[in-house]
Amino acid sequence: MAETAARRQPNPYRPGFNQAPLVFAGREEILDAAGEALEVAAFDGRTPRPLILVGPRGVGKTVTLGQIAQIAAVQHAWPTVHVEAAAHGMTETLSARLRTARGLLEGWDPADRPRRRTKITGAKVQAQAFGFGGGIEVERDPTEPARDLGTELRETMTTAMKRGAGLLLTLDELQNAAPAELHALGGVLQEGVPEGWPLVTAIAALPSLRGKRGGRLPTYLERAEWHTLDTLPSSDARAALSGPAERSHRPMSAEAVEALLALSGGYPYAIQVAGHFAWRASHGSDVITVEHARAAEPRIAADLDQLFLSRWEDASPREREYLAALAAAELSHPAPNGGHVAAVLDERVTAVSYLRDRLMKKGTIYRDGTGGLRFITPGMGEWVRRTAEQR
Ligand SMILES: Nc1ncnc2c1ncn2[C@@H]1O[C@H](COP(=O)(O)OP(=O)(O)OP(=O)(O)O)[C@@H](O)[C@H]1O
Ligand SMILES: [Mg+2]
């Protein structure tokens, strides 16, 4: 009987992108900064600088935005307007969602505001109360003409203030936005600063957004509070690995945690993959042992390989040579620059810089804050070295 119940237990790990983990580990510094920004906006009558989270793929930028939305809901009963930027149309989408938020806020009863996550990602508003999803339809006159972003934001903030509420704006994948739209956004947000709107803006982007600094990024965003996300330090990685199992009453042995940590290297995406397959391998047992972790290893490796393989296959033969040289250079420099890579290739920097630029444009590699080159997917360097060896 117990075995059947254990077998039916849902897997508590969330492998994949944009999947909120059951146990969100670490990132205290960012959550504290966001908590403070929300307090400043809610109580001090000031609009704080936007928060910008940058980091490679799969480190948890999107789910961290979700955690900030959770704080806004639980601490302040504020709704969140969320937009994922694409090459076009960010301004229109944002305007439309602000209008939806306004409709929602108009019906907001100051005495009985929902303390649950209210995320506006379309005309239908998703509200999550303690894990139960629900939808709130916002009445809107479809014939109402679309107004510009500045007007929409002003009217939404006026409504919010009347109701004693505020607004969290989360913008994801901002590196995709067209420069003109970034400038429009920066201008509109900056205009609101003297008004002291209860508005907090939290942005997530790949590190290439930094490249838009120095002219291409609006000053208002350039002067934002920047936070870099990378892999989790090992204590947080352990919590992310063992927490979901513990909560689901099938704890992981310390040895299993260490074995899985060695495979995932603190990379949040890989942690969820590792936990997922270890959980699967332990069906019927009431603990996850190191044997289960070892049995899951091939599945975990295959899943992560897929991630690297798709990037590799997207590269031309010359670009692959560059990637292999970068992976080799990593062995002697933690964040090699173009010069180190060119040295491995035995070429002049200028002769191979076009390869570096193409790979940066494709988003396979990026330049970190210190000018070093890195793979956008953590762990890819090691995979490339293994792949190169096998050929
Ligand atoms: N702090 C964390 N604790 C536990 N798991 C996490 C944490 N952060 C992220 N994850 C997990 O890592 C995976 C990737 O998260 P997410 O999609 O937010 O990454 P991302 O940085 O937004 O990636 P991309 O750049 O591709 O959009 C998800 O499975 C998520 O559950
Ligand atoms: Mg994301």
Side-chain angles (χ1 to χ4, degrees):
M1 281 302 283
E3 194 178 304
T4 319
R7 202 166 273 144
R8 286 227 184 95
Q9 239 177 320
N11 196 315
Y13 293 90
R14 303 283 178 267
F17 293 87
N18 302 352
Q19 305 278 320
L22 191 66
V23 172
F24 180 88
R27 309 296 188 212
E28 286 89 1
E29 197 190 307
I30 295 171
L31 299 183
D32 285 351
E36 200 186 310
L38 285 160
E39 288 192 357
V40 163
F43 306 126
D44 302 350
R46 280 192 290 127
T47 308
R49 287 189 294 162
L51 294 156
I52 304 189
L53 319 182
V54 287
R57 289 254 171 242
V59 290
K61 299 178 295 296
T62 302
V63 301
T64 305
L65 289 182
Q67 288 292 311
I68 298 175
Q70 195 71 28
I71 300 174
V74 174
Q75 308 277 328
H76 304 282
W78 284 15
T80 296
V81 166
H82 180 79
V83 175
E84 190 178 309
H88 307 282
M90 178 180 73
T91 317
E92 285 79 21
T93 309
L94 184 53
S95 300
R97 289 185 189 164
L98 283 168
R99 179 131 57 109
T100 304
R102 194 160 72 245
L104 179 79
L105 285 160
E106 271 157 12
W108 221 238
D109 178 349
D112 184 29
R113 282 184 273 143
R115 286 196 181 262
R116 54 190 182 176
R117 189 157 67 147
T118 312
K119 199 172 170 195
I120 297 154
T121 53
K124 193 163 180 199
V125 178
Q126 292 301 320
Q128 272 190 321
F130 307 109
F132 296 101
I136 306 167
E137 289 287 0
V138 177
E139 277 191 45
R140 211 172 67 193
D141 178 1
T143 57
E144 204 182 317
R147 272 167 299 194
D148 66 273
L149 183 58
T151 310
E152 290 296 355
L153 186 63
R154 175 170 301 278
E155 293 193 0
T156 305
M157 293 319 301
T158 306
T159 306
M161 286 189 286
K162 270 193 210 144
R163 303 277 161 189
L167 190 73
L168 172 68
L169 201 60
T170 55
L171 305 170
D172 204 356
E173 304 276 359
L174 203 70
Q175 78 284 344
N176 289 336
E181 292 205 281
L182 279 178
H183 279 275
L185 174 73
V188 164
L189 291 175
Q190 187 161 21
E191 249 176 59
V193 174
E195 317 262 348
W197 286 338
L199 172 70
V200 171
T201 306
I203 291 168
L206 289 176
S208 58
L209 186 73
R210 282 189 194 279
K212 297 193 197 263
R213 287 173 112 165
R216 289 215 288 146
L217 199 64
T219 321
Y220 187 66
L221 296 182
E222 206 171 290
R223 295 191 186 147
E225 188 179 313
W226 291 71
H227 292 267
T228 305
L229 270 81
D230 211 327
T231 51
L232 290 169
S234 48
S235 55
D236 294 333
R238 282 192 189 94
L241 272 169
S242 61
E246 182 90 42
R247 276 218 210 162
S248 306
H249 312 292
R250 194 191 292 171
M252 245 180 217
S253 75
E255 234 187 317
V257 174
E258 294 314 309
L260 295 171
L261 185 61
L263 292 175
S264 62
Y267 176 37
Y269 173 85
I271 287 175
Q272 297 298 328
V273 170
H276 174 84
F277 287 113
W279 177 271
R280 260 212 207 167
S282 66
H283 279 330
S285 167
D286 50 12
V287 275
I288 302 176
T289 66
V290 70
E291 285 75 29
H292 296 135
R294 297 233 169 86
E297 195 174 326
R299 307 290 297 268
I300 299 167
D303 191 294
L304 297 177
D305 280 2
Q306 204 46 51
L307 207 63
F308 305 136
L309 193 63
S310 58
R311 298 259 158 205
W312 184 253
E313 285 178 342
D314 187 41
S316 70
R318 278 294 277 159
E319 287 165 6
R320 287 182 194 175
E321 283 175 29
Y322 195 91
L323 293 175
L326 171 59
E330 272 185 346
L331 291 176
S332 32
H333 308 272
N337 60 30
H340 298 127
V341 181
V344 174
L345 290 167
D346 201 16
E347 304 233 33
R348 278 180 305 115
V349 182
T350 47
V352 290
S353 57
Y354 77 100
L355 292 168
R356 177 199 60 202
D357 294 346
R358 283 205 318 224
L359 288 162
M360 286 195 347
K361 200 148 186 225
K362 282 186 179 174
T364 306
I365 63 174
Y366 71 99
R367 210 196 297 272
D368 69 13
T370 65
L373 295 173
R374 293 187 183 225
F375 288 95
I376 202 95
T377 315
M380 183 155 171
E382 205 191 315
W383 180 87
V384 169
R385 290 193 290 275
R386 258 190 289 131
T387 308
E389 238 171 56
Q390 284 159 11
R391 276 175 309 146

